[in-house]
Amino acid sequence: MTARPVHVTLNGAEREAMAEPRLLLIHFIRDVLQQTGTHLGCDTTNCGACTVLLDGRPIKSCTYFAVQADGKKITTVEGLLSNGKMHPLQEGFREEHGLQCGFCTPGMMMSALALLERNPDPSEAEIRAGISGNLCRCTGYQNIVKAIQYAAAKMKKGATA
Amino acid sequence: MTPTTPEVGGMGHSIKRREDPRFLQGKGNYVDDVHLPRMVYGQVVRSPFAHARIRGINTEAAKKAPGVLAVITGEDLAKANLAWMPTLFHDKQMVLATGKVLFQAQEVAFVVAETQYQAADAAELVEVDYEELPVLVDPHRALDANAPVLREDREEKSNHIFHWEVGDRQATQKAIQDAPVKVALDAVFQRCHPAPLETCGCVADLNTATGRLTVWLTSQAPHAHRTLFALVGGIPEENIRVISPDIGGGFGNKVPIYPGYVCAVVASLQLGRPVKWIETRSENLQSTGFARDYHMTAEIAADRDGKVKALRVKTLADHGAFNAAAQPSKFPAGLFSICTGSYDFPSAFCEVDGVYTNKAPGGIAYRCSFRVTEAAYLIERATDSLAYELKMDPAELRRKNFIPKETFPYRSPLGWTYDSGNYDAAMKLALDMIGYDDLRKEQAEKRKRGELMGIGVSSFTEIVGAGPAHTFDIVGIKMFDSCEIRVHPTGKAIARLGTKSQGQGHETTFPQIIAQELGIPANDILLEEGDTDTAPYGLGTYASRSTPVAGAATAICARKIRDKARKIAAHLLEASEADLEWEPGKFYVKGAPSKSKTIQEIAFAAYTNLPEGMEAGLEAVDYYDPPNLTFPFGTYICVVDIDKGTGEVKVRRFVAVDDCGNIINPMIVEGQIHGGLTEGFAIAFMQLISYDEQGNVQGGNFMDYLLPTAVETPHWETGKTCTPSPHHPIGAKGVGESPNVGSPAAFVNAVVDALSHLGVRHIDMPVTPWKVWQILHQNGIS
Amino acid sequence: MAVRIEKTFEVKHPIEAVWAMLSDPRKVVSCVPGAQITETIDDRNFKGSIRVKVGPSLTEFKGEVHIERLDEQAHEIELSGKGQDIRGKGGASMTMTGTLTALDDGGARVHAVSEITVVGILAQFGARMMNDVSDVIFKEFTTRFQNLLDHPGEAQAPAEPVSGVKLAGSVIGHSIRRVLGGDDEESK
């Protein structure tokens, strides 16, 4: 398996590294690019802990090869902070107690980010459907929904400001 | 207890969590995030057969594969006497199989390579020659004369592990015989798995220069694990450091010691390099500590007016291939004898028999409080059976039999002394919150129209906070817990505990206890757990014991500091100690409140201006031996609607009233309850780990073992009553597991209630749409 | 886990010619993709192997085939087989009963009922795909069986192992066609 160079824009920064064709994107992000905020929770593409945004679309990075991401933009949880200021989603998760062990949280926020970008004013049912690809064992989702509603409200206000 | 201001954030304040910022930025430090120089990777080779002799293992091809540094087998470990290790419960289990394998996915070899992918490739090349043996997966067949004997290593050649009984067999027998009303219920609590989102794993790092072994470990009990590594591995305990960093959920899954950990340690010792082993989800579901698998029968005898007279319980416990149930050593069935629940039974008898089968080992996990989930489920289902027999409303029947609040402390017929309880208050609140009477009217109307609606009630009593030294130990280590606090000159503090949070928010809640006791703002207190080099010894976090035991240690420790602070204050204020009053944050002279010293000023003085002869510093440590367990309780009420065409059950409403005594952080308690109810929901409706006749595990990955998503998870309504624990320094009881203890029965009771007019009296979990549809179909409804 | 598979197909050859082939395990096995007889112990017992490719890795099962019963009058054969993955990843066992009936047009109908029990990884992932996988293997089998009947004595190219990846593709295609209501020629 000959490794080949993979060039991505990760959270706004240009990164390049070698990857075997079979190297999964999650391992590329965590082990090669050393961004360990995105987590691995299963081996059958079910849990969504590994969710990142690829050119703005949420994907499960455990079911994607690093070489497929060549030339693309990747956003992970590490990209949410902006000039040291928390993203409304991060704020919402904190204010509404939307996390406990924190393991599902990065992937959950990425899915939520994608959801709010395509639907800035989602109903509760739309939120629940929008994060249905992300499993959480700790929170029962109720406060996660509130966190996303908090973020939606804040982002709407920010948009009209 | 004087309330503190929100800025101080003592008991009762919903302050925001201290641990959140790092998680929200993706800067948590979970075991798989640990990267050390020269680190290598391990992978386990597992048995595909449930029961087979190993005729030979050929590791030649694997050893030659690219990047491979070692391939370890049971034979290799046997040379160091490590092929077997003790379990946490009077048994031993194989680290790597020698001679035979006893369950599908059992560990057979361990491959170590430079990269994870190379280790996986090499694992494929290990050749094992198996000779299949007859498989035993039905616990009811385990004691048959012709059942295959699984454990050839034991002296007693049978599959029977233990028999345990408690209570008065004769009196209960007589009471049942004499009673005018009796019901019997067979209920299986199915094998399921806690499946925390982070799987188990470790990084074992032997520093060859210093001889110290550091193990980053997904551990809910780091100190106990360190001691066990020392005893089993023969490594001096001061040279072992276990670091349990951030843990992505535990739920009991991270209490046992798994073969992968031992293999990683051995590999690191052998190679002198850090060895990382992280299991996959499939490995987690198929080989790590499962939960439940209790096959139970309950008989309740009562008067015609519904007053219960006796409870008799018989249980068959399927423990899998090794008894690795992590529970206190005198209790082979954990705290299952809490099965008299919230009711005043004059007599009771309970017996449990444990057996071996060709399945993964475990049994104590998934927020079970040591088998309390099984016990509560059984009594709450059986109570409904009695209600149907008597044609009595299930809430009314429960209220009739609740242990009255005046009789606490209450001694149950199976030997527990419940500290405090007010069951009727919780029940009443739950009934009000859900609008019970209106719901029953609605149900009657719907029934006339052929619509299926059910209401399920569960009034559980929990037993947590293990436990007093006279009765409780795990592998001999007493179940105290600890807190050490040190106050700095500038009035900030650091505290360390013997517990280990896996999401329960300890970095926030324990400082709140200290804030309450000392008036130092909770946000000025750094809380650390999990590093055995620095934290005082404790038994860890599981069975809802952190607040009852370590929380008590924290309060007592803070009070020791306050005692010293009083002396320093007296010195600073030139008054006698007896003339000083305390309010959170300061001492003041009686009658002259302006003459005061804050805790911060006192802290500074502890390093700069001490009374003659007094040692410097402001710190203390406390190891707390609880005088008793605590008994949280509650009433949960669930409303379901069943689709007549598909059998799908929709939870319309769920009200959970919990009483865990005094609450430290209401926001965190509510989060715990949401999470636990969601787990109970999953267990009731969708989770099962089963084995076919060949011993193949079904439910061994997330395609088949279901976790609820945000879409099907119901909306939870919570309420509370407060009945403090009289023996706990801050009156708190603990709550983490209550929702998983009380909710499965509420769900099942609701579904049975919806179908009771068809004669249905019980449905075993998981209550899947298929099961419900079959009932509807048989009754001509679908 | 045990799976029961029942298949029927027809050939345009007289029943005796078909029986001659069906009652000879060496001929039958040569039609199964990836399979071969490696040793004849006696006229009722054989050693064999079957290879399945999943992506780049090749799994091989080695085992034994035993003729339990051979009924010339009723044209019925009963076979049993048992094998293990050579690296110890799992195993499978099978019993199969094959019956021939003469058709009015001079041809013959073959009816085969098999019970397959699988242990190991296959049982976890493969269970879901068992029926569909067997359909694909069966289709290739009947093609080769027909071909052998049409050209007896001509050596067939050894049956290539069924590729798991190729298999997955055709199985998925097969399943989708079935779900979308396409006519399934094997379902007779």
Side-chain angles (χ1 to χ4, degrees), chain B residues 48 130 286 692 694 696 704, chain C residues 1 84 88-89 118 120 124 128:
Chain B
Y130 293 103
Q286 294 174 34
D692 70 15
Q694 288 76 40
N696 293 309
D704 300 316
Chain C
M1 56 136 10
Q84 255 196 45
K89 303 273 179 284
V118 178
Q124 291 177 22
R128 235 172 284 279

Side-chain angles (χ1 to χ4, degrees), chain B residues 671-695:
Chain B
Q672 288 285 294
I673 292 173
H674 290 171
L677 292 177
T678 306
E679 289 184 338
F681 170 75
I683 289 171
F685 291 111
M686 59 184 77
Q687 291 182 335
L688 173 67
I689 306 249
S690 65
Y691 290 76
D692 70 15
E693 274 160 28
Q694 288 76 40

Side-chain angles (χ1 to χ4, degrees), chain B residues 234-284:
Chain B
I235 307 162
E237 196 171 0
E238 87 279 10
N239 272 345
I240 305 177
R241 178 182 185 190
V242 171
I243 301 175
S244 199
D246 290 321
I247 308 289
F251 314 119
N253 190 218
K254 294 168 177 164
V255 175
I257 292 188
Y258 295 116
Y261 302 155
V262 178
C263 291
V265 168
V266 167
S268 184
L269 294 174
Q270 200 173 304
L271 300 169
R273 293 172 72 169
V275 177
K276 173 181 273 192
W277 171 71
I278 308 287
E279 61 171 6
T280 63
R281 175 58 58 189
S282 301
E283 293 178 289
N284 173 259

